[in-house]
Amino acid sequence: MNKQILHLDMDAFFASVEQAANPKLKAQPVIVGSRANKKRTVVAACSYPAKAKGVTSGMSTQEALRLCPQAVFIPADCPKYIYTAQRILALLQEFSPQTEMASIDEFNLDITGCERIFGSWENMAYLIKQKIHQQFDLTGSIGIAPNKLMAKLAAKMNKPDGLLIWKKSDLPGVLENLPVEKLCGIGPKITLYLNQMSIFTCGQLSRAEEDLLVSRFGQYGRWLKQTARGEGQEQIELSSQPEALPKSVGHSYTLETNITSLSMLQAWIRLLCEMVALRLRGLLLQGQITHLYLRGPNLNWWSRQKKFSGTTFDGQVLYRRCLLILQGLLPLNCPVRALGVSVSGLTNACALSLFVEDRKRQELLSALDRINGRFGDWSIYPASLKRC
DNA sequence: TCTGGGGTCCTAGGACCC
DNA sequence: TCTGGGGTCCTAGGACCC
């Protein structure tokens, strides 16, 4: 049986959640910033009145407020958005057990055969939209197509509060004149390369020589051609299944002013190491590969990573590893604008160490986490962090 | 003084082993 | 005496997503 996938893409999700929580913000231009400080921050989401003024996600907040000075600025409250997304997921699971949370504001449902229960896919989609509006005071756009990528495209092409249904036979007509950059997975760089090859539309991409695409883009070239023909993944990765281990856990931070002092840089690295380690312990994970990256005033990144012999979830150990890696990035030939620490090569954290010293350290970390968990993060922290 | 922060996946080149 | 080629691991970095 041919698969049919429903993709739900919530409209201006972060901004809409804020408006639902505070009705005074309804119909107002709302800009949700990635953090509280308006300096060196970008727009995480904005309401449709702000979009109408030219504000887009990813734009610097300063630029957004210049375009739309009357906008209400709200710092992002991620736990609130995650909580709402999980409740939406639970609602969708009542419609189809084959449900996947694709990102914080996107969901995929395998609705193959569901038209027999709901009368039609259209009826099912309207019922979902109605329930979401009733329960959350939110809207979303729905796309229905034979695979996830095409369903997502359909949802995106009819925003906000839209519904678009494509059968397999509709796809060639839809894709023929569609600009390649509209496909999820083709960003600005690839678009530029394709345009240089005189490929502008999905129709042209679908007819391009596969060998040529593979020689230019590697395996990704094959994917490009398949996608342009409307082929894509049908398999839903069930959100009710235990989640796979994340591949990496990290934190990065853009400084309010650039720094040149090595000791200040080390203090910031220490803080990030503690934050990463806290997350690792919260997720019951430990990691072997440490990754340190620095960003200069020209927004260029330098990064170094190293695989160490053992895994860790200890901020102090992580910091020592970062200092070793930092040696490879010295001397700094320009100020540092931002920095990041991440850990990969993750495995589940094992039970208490067999070694007494390690065990004492683990007990100390566990006590720190309990105190911070009870009184708020960073109620207690290493003295070296006072410099940040 | 426009440009955050969380990720994933892929590729290329060098080192090393057999 | 000279030295191929395949496989794997490690690392750096690019591109993309929300």
Side-chain angles (χ1 to χ4, degrees):
Chain A
M1 182 188 280
N2 287 335
K3 286 270 184 188
Q4 211 64 19
I5 305 296
L6 182 151
H7 180 92
L8 168 67
D9 187 338
M10 300 303 295
D11 299 324
F13 185 54
F14 296 179
S16 303
V17 170
E18 296 296 345
Q19 287 173 316
N22 180 1
K24 284 184 191 159
L25 298 174
K26 287 264 176 184
Q28 282 198 52
V30 172
I31 291 175
V32 178
S34 53
R35 58 182 191 187
N37 193 327
K38 291 180 197 172
K39 263 185 84 182
R40 290 187 168 180
T41 307
V42 298
V43 175
C46 60
S47 66
Y48 281 88
K51 282 181 204 264
K53 296 279 182 186
V55 179
T56 58
S57 298
M59 174 182 278
S60 80
T61 306
Q62 288 182 354
E63 170 71 358
L65 290 172
R66 193 184 62 75
L67 288 170
C68 188
Q70 70 276 34
V72 180
F73 177 86
I74 301 172
D77 180 357
C78 287
K80 196 195 303 181
Y81 313 141
I82 293 169
Y83 174 69
T84 308
Q86 283 170 340
R87 289 176 61 210
I88 293 172
L89 175 71
L91 184 152
L92 295 172
Q93 282 168 334
E94 293 174 14
F95 285 85
S96 168
Q98 302 282 311
T99 300
E100 166 190 48
M101 192 164 155
S103 72
I104 193 164
D105 61 348
E106 295 179 335
F107 307 84
N108 287 313
L109 283 73
D110 184 339
I111 56 164
T112 312
C114 287
E115 72 277 16
R116 291 198 292 272
I117 302 167
F118 295 95
S120 67
W121 292 321
E122 198 174 10
N123 281 349
M124 184 182 183
Y126 278 125
L127 198 54
I128 289 174
K129 284 156 85 66
Q130 187 187 26
K131 290 245 178 186
I132 286 176
H133 191 251
Q134 283 170 350
Q135 288 192 26
F136 305 103
D137 197 13
L138 297 172
T139 65
S141 298
I142 288 179
I144 297 178
N147 60 60
K148 293 200 274 191
L149 208 66
M150 290 299 115
K152 182 182 166 93
L153 178 65
K156 204 183 277 185
M157 282 178 69
N158 203 8
K159 280 181 95 51
D161 203 16
L163 170 62
L164 203 49
I165 301 175
W166 289 337
K167 296 193 290 293
K168 200 168 187 174
S169 55
D170 296 328
L171 296 180
V174 167
L175 292 165
E176 180 56 34
N177 293 315
L178 187 77
V180 286
E181 63 268 28
K182 296 284 183 191
L183 288 179
C184 179
I186 301 185
K189 300 276 172 130
I190 304 294
T191 300
L192 188 63
Y193 291 138
L194 289 172
N195 291 170
Q196 284 166 352
M197 296 164 76
S198 299
I199 296 171
F200 299 91
T201 67
C202 294
Q204 290 168 331
L205 183 56
S206 71
R207 289 185 290 276
E209 287 291 331
E210 187 165 310
D211 290 349
L212 184 68
L213 294 172
V214 170
S215 69
R216 179 65 189 80
F217 301 108
Q219 289 306 308
Y220 180 67
R222 230 178 292 279
W223 177 89
L224 282 173
K225 191 172 167 79
Q226 287 168 356
T227 304
R229 287 205 303 245
E231 295 166 16
Q233 206 189 354
E234 302 168 347
Q235 198 60 41
I236 297 288
E237 281 150 37
L238 291 184
S239 293
S240 53
Q241 296 289 320
E243 282 188 33
L245 290 186
K247 302 278 191 297
S248 65
V249 171
H251 278 294
S252 61
Y253 187 74
T254 299
L255 303 156
E256 285 177 23
T257 51
N258 297 350
I259 55 171
T260 50
S261 142
L262 183 60
S263 60
M264 275 305 288
L265 178 61
Q266 288 169 338
W268 278 105
I269 293 173
R270 180 74 210 269
L271 173 63
L272 288 172
C273 286
E274 290 298 337
M275 289 168 70
V276 172
L278 183 68
R279 286 252 318 281
L280 286 172
R281 293 194 296 272
L283 294 163
L284 301 174
L285 293 171
Q286 52 194 353
Q288 193 176 11
I289 303 167
T290 304
H291 188 185
L292 174 68
Y293 44 106
L294 305 179
R295 192 172 213 189
N298 301 328
L299 305 181
N300 49 321
W301 285 105
W302 305 280
S303 75
R304 291 286 182 281
Q305 67 181 60
K306 188 157 175 58
K307 187 173 185 175
F308 290 88
S309 56
T311 56
T312 188
F313 47 51
D314 183 338
Q316 207 173 73
V317 175
L318 207 50
Y319 177 59
R320 283 201 296 270
R321 293 180 173 186
C322 281
L323 287 187
L324 287 172
I325 296 171
L326 182 64
Q327 299 302 317
L329 289 164
L330 295 178
L332 297 173
N333 51 14
C334 64
V336 173
R337 177 194 171 90
L339 69 161
V341 171
S342 76
V343 174
S344 59
L346 301 178
T347 53
N348 286 310
C350 56
L352 280 177
S353 169
L354 295 173
F355 300 102
V356 174
E357 284 309 309
D358 287 353
R359 211 155 57 211
K360 281 185 183 166
R361 177 79 190 150
Q362 285 179 7
E363 284 163 1
L364 172 65
L365 291 173
S366 169
L368 276 175
D369 293 347
R370 283 199 302 275
I371 292 168
N372 282 322
R374 182 165 175 194
F375 299 106
D377 286 352
W378 314 114
S379 300
I380 184 166
Y381 52 82
S384 61
L385 300 186
K386 286 197 82 165
R387 304 197 54 189
C388 296

